Amino acid sequence: RLGPAGAAAFHAWVRDGVARNTPLDRMAREMVLGLGDGDRVGPANFSRVAGDARSQAELVSQVFLGVRLECARCHNHPWEKWTQDDFWGFAAFFGRMGIKDTYENDESQVLLKLSGEVIHPKTKKPIGPKYLDGSNETEAPGEDVREKLAAWITSPRNPWFPRAIMNRMVRHYLGRGLVEPVDDFRVTNPPSNPELLDALAKDFVENGYHLKR
């Protein structure tokens, strides 16, 4: 979907970040907020994979929080607490995002539109941004509300991000995560060793989100 140039740009950006031991919270913020031509701006390609607000919400929650929200897109989640309001409120963070095809060498640009909203499929009305912890957010004129979302995702007070990342690292080295599948954290799918996962996540945060540690 990214094309050879976009995939190469994204790969080079990730490789450089890992080589420099760039803190993963910083890389995550750059991916969530990435704008520009995907062939030239590596982290912008993260958003190019998804496209619309609905798909952005699913991608961001699954990759960075280990939470699969797609079941709540059409109805309340059957195995977890997530509701349609949770899903569409999270999607509302990406209401102004757009992807513009330039048709020059199959390039496309991730941009922030001047306006945009997400319509709740049940109420048929616009819904405002809402974090998965239940709190609502507002977007002031001229503001990119995704910046608040990126700060919330990578906040030391957010338990989902470090647990999701450490679970992926355990799977990488041991062949199986403490939660499997690695991106399906929920009450009905608990970690095989919750104390270990919590300890790894705590160490990860306290030491600056450095994967090499």
Side-chain angles (χ1 to χ4, degrees):
R1 186 174 295 184
L2 299 179
F10 190 41
H11 176 269
W13 177 79
V14 172
R15 184 181 179 88
D16 180 69
V18 173
R20 295 174 183 270
N21 200 23
T22 303
L24 201 65
D25 61 330
R26 186 191 307 172
M27 293 186 70
R29 287 193 296 270
E30 290 185 28
M31 281 189 273
V32 172
L33 299 174
L35 297 174
D37 186 339
D39 288 2
R40 297 171 179 81
V41 183
N45 288 286
F46 179 79
S47 295
R48 286 179 69 196
V49 171
D52 61 15
R54 181 193 69 188
S55 299
Q56 292 287 348
E58 293 175 0
L59 177 67
V60 168
S61 65
Q62 199 162 336
V63 170
F64 295 125
L65 305 176
V67 175
R68 296 186 180 187
L69 284 181
E70 63 266 28
C71 282
R73 181 174 60 197
C74 303
H75 49 75
N76 293 343
H77 201 300
W79 305 300
E80 188 49 287
K81 63 181 180 180
W82 312 120
T83 65
Q84 270 192 294
D85 289 348
D86 292 322
F87 179 93
W88 292 103
F90 199 71
F93 280 102
F94 307 97
R96 290 174 55 207
M97 283 194 65
I99 297 179
K100 179 181 179 181
D101 293 324
T102 62
Y103 301 106
E104 298 177 7
N105 301 317
D106 295 322
E107 296 177 2
S108 62
Q109 185 176 19
V110 180
L111 49 83
L112 199 64
K113 298 177 289 186
L114 294 177
S115 62
E117 57 188 16
V118 169
I119 304 298
H120 194 299
K122 182 174 289 186
T123 65
K124 310 300 181 185
K125 295 179 180 179
I127 186 170
K130 180 174 180 286
Y131 299 106
L132 293 186
D133 64 7
S135 56
N136 296 306
E137 189 57 87
T138 57
E139 184 171 24
E143 179 183 52
D144 181 1
V145 75
R146 297 176 311 137
E147 293 183 2
K148 293 179 178 178
L149 175 65
W152 175 81
I153 288 173
T154 57
S155 167
R157 297 184 299 276
N158 186 341
W160 284 304
F161 179 66
R163 284 161 57 89
I165 300 304
M166 288 297 95
N167 191 49
R168 291 179 183 275
M169 293 300 289
V170 169
R171 186 175 191 268
H172 175 73
Y173 284 108
L174 303 182
R176 182 174 181 82
L178 298 171
V179 172
E180 281 287 346
V182 290
D183 52 10
D184 194 14
F185 279 70
R186 49 186 158 83
V187 173
T188 52
N189 187 34
S192 59
N193 190 329
E195 294 83 5
L196 175 57
L197 184 58
D198 287 344
L200 290 170
K202 184 174 183 287
D203 183 84
F204 184 49
V205 173
E206 290 179 347
N207 288 279
Y209 299 90
H210 288 103
L211 282 182
K212 286 191 178 182
R213 172 182 168 82

